[in-house]
Amino acid sequence: MSKIHVIHENPEWLPPLARAFDQRGLPWAEWDLSSGSFDLSSPPPEGVFYNRMSASSHTRGHRYSAELTAAVLAWLERYGRRVVNGPRALDLEISKARQYAALEAAGIAVPATVVVRGEAGDVVDAARRRFGTGPLILKPNRGGKGLGVRLFADSDALAAFMADAPADEQPADGLWLLQDYVRSARPFITRAEFVGGRFLYAVEVDTSSGFELCPADVCEVPAPSAAIGDAACPVGTSAAPAPGPRFRVIPEGIEAAQRERLERFLAGNGVEVAGIEFIRTPEGRVLTYDVNTNTNYNPDAEAAAGLAGTDRSGPGAIAAFLGAALAPTRRAAA
């Protein structure tokens, strides 16, 4: 039977989507690519394939799940299957450097960024050349959830950290990113959600507790403590968290011109489901710094906004979109 196939490697993120599928009576199955095999010479099953492979898969012991997914997606496209968030989406998911290049090609501003492959001294030297004595952010090229993002007061603080960097914070693909620290008037970023390539809603996210910004309820854990005091603080400040919920749906959404630019970017890169994060400087400049094609949603924020259980919620919108994509394949199979 033709059905929706959800490609993933983390079962903890599936329940909200599973409930949305079941509430709508949609046939579906999960395809866990934390490991597995498939026969390239045999046709895949019928249906719609939704790719939810995550850039953070390596942090759950699934270092090569993204590579396995890339092979599966090529196989699916070879046989003409309908794939949501196909190879190009995966390519952007697992490389922030490629994200930034694609965003800039679409006319969307990103923070100044330097890519480094080398030893600790190479990272520090690159930081001194580009950022001098100013603050900077260190992050892995293949990240996810804001893991491994650290703010340093200056290159000397970075050097102290790199001299004894934890092994579990080494970048999975060997590439470090050094990035300009963008100051905002308030400790918040905005995350815009898109389903079917169209704007769904935006959330305001309080970053005063850290850069681990996965909005799913299963991801909400305290941010790691500073490694070297505030000089290498993952949250970038010692300020207490702002009162109120950490994730809040913005009733007015985002500016129409920005929404159109982001939708064009997604369409040009074959991305149909994504969360895009950006920050606004005190001068009003908007800088986009993350495209998450394996987006999750915060149920408390959706409930507070009256979206939970509807087609305007994240899981509901995805289920409705995939159900509509599935309908032609079910008719063809009848």
Side-chain angles (χ1 to χ4, degrees):
M1 179 179 67
S2 184
K3 63 179 67 174
I4 297 166
H5 303 265
V6 181
I7 296 171
H8 74 97
E9 53 74 44
N10 186 6
E12 290 187 355
W13 289 342
L14 279 184
L17 198 55
R19 287 192 294 271
F21 288 147
D22 294 342
Q23 287 167 0
R24 291 159 179 79
L26 294 170
W28 72 283
E30 63 172 298
W31 191 357
D32 187 342
L33 290 185
S34 55
S35 63
S37 63
F38 64 98
D39 186 346
L40 279 170
S41 63
S42 298
E46 299 290 339
V48 173
F49 295 79
Y50 173 33
N51 167 35
R52 283 178 55 83
M53 185 50 56
S54 170
S56 64
S57 58
H58 63 282
T59 68
R60 290 177 289 278
H62 306 150
R63 168 60 186 86
Y64 297 106
S65 288
E67 286 76 9
L68 176 58
T69 300
V72 166
L73 296 181
W75 176 54
L76 295 174
E77 291 202 334
R78 149 71 178 87
Y79 281 93
R81 297 298 184 261
R82 174 70 166 94
V83 177
V84 173
N85 282 9
R88 177 58 174 165
L90 176 64
D91 188 58
L92 296 182
E93 169 72 10
I94 63 175
S95 172
K96 293 192 183 301
R98 293 195 288 270
Q99 281 184 23
Y100 298 149
L103 285 164
E104 289 195 307
I108 298 170
V110 303
T113 304
V114 176
V115 181
V116 185
R117 167 62 187 152
E119 302 301 323
D122 300 311
V123 177
V124 174
D125 289 345
R128 294 191 196 284
R129 286 194 301 271
R130 180 62 180 81
F131 301 102
T133 59
L136 69 149
I137 286 175
L138 175 74
K139 63 173 65 173
N141 182 55
R142 181 183 293 195
K145 301 192 302 179
L147 295 171
V149 179
R150 288 180 175 267
L151 169 64
F152 296 90
D154 53 37
S155 297
D156 289 339
L158 171 66
F161 171 77
M162 293 299 296
D164 193 27
D168 61 358
E169 290 198 23
Q170 298 299 315
D173 61 359
L175 300 181
W176 288 107
L177 300 186
L178 299 168
Q179 198 165 76
D180 191 23
Y181 171 51
V182 180
R183 298 182 184 275
S184 60
R186 300 164 61 235
F188 293 93
I189 62 93
T190 301
R191 180 184 177 108
E193 303 290 357
F194 297 81
V195 175
R198 300 297 181 186
F199 175 75
L200 182 64
Y201 65 75
V203 291
E204 185 178 68
V205 185
D206 173 14
T207 61
S208 58
S209 293
F211 284 125
E212 293 194 21
L213 302 181
C214 172
D217 50 355
V218 297
C219 298
E220 288 192 12
V221 296
S225 59
I228 319 172
D230 284 343
C233 181
V235 303
T237 173
S238 297
R246 192 176 183 205
F247 298 90
R248 181 184 71 88
V249 173
I250 304 172
E252 63 273 22
I254 60 177
E255 297 173 359
Q258 185 180 18
R259 182 181 69 243
E260 292 169 3
R261 280 194 298 272
L262 294 176
E263 289 179 346
R264 284 197 301 270
F265 161 76
L266 294 175
N269 286 278
V271 179
E272 296 179 89
V273 179
I276 301 179
E277 294 174 9
F278 56 88
I279 191 169
R280 188 180 299 273
T281 70
E283 298 76 28
R285 189 179 183 212
V286 175
L287 296 172
T288 299
Y289 64 87
D290 189 46
V291 179
N292 188 333
T293 67
N294 175 41
T295 191
N296 289 292
Y297 307 95
N298 186 272
D300 293 337
E302 291 192 337
L307 304 178
T310 73
D311 285 358
R312 289 290 298 164
S313 70
I318 290 175
F321 171 63
L322 294 178
L326 180 65
T329 71
R330 298 182 76 182
R331 287 195 296 268

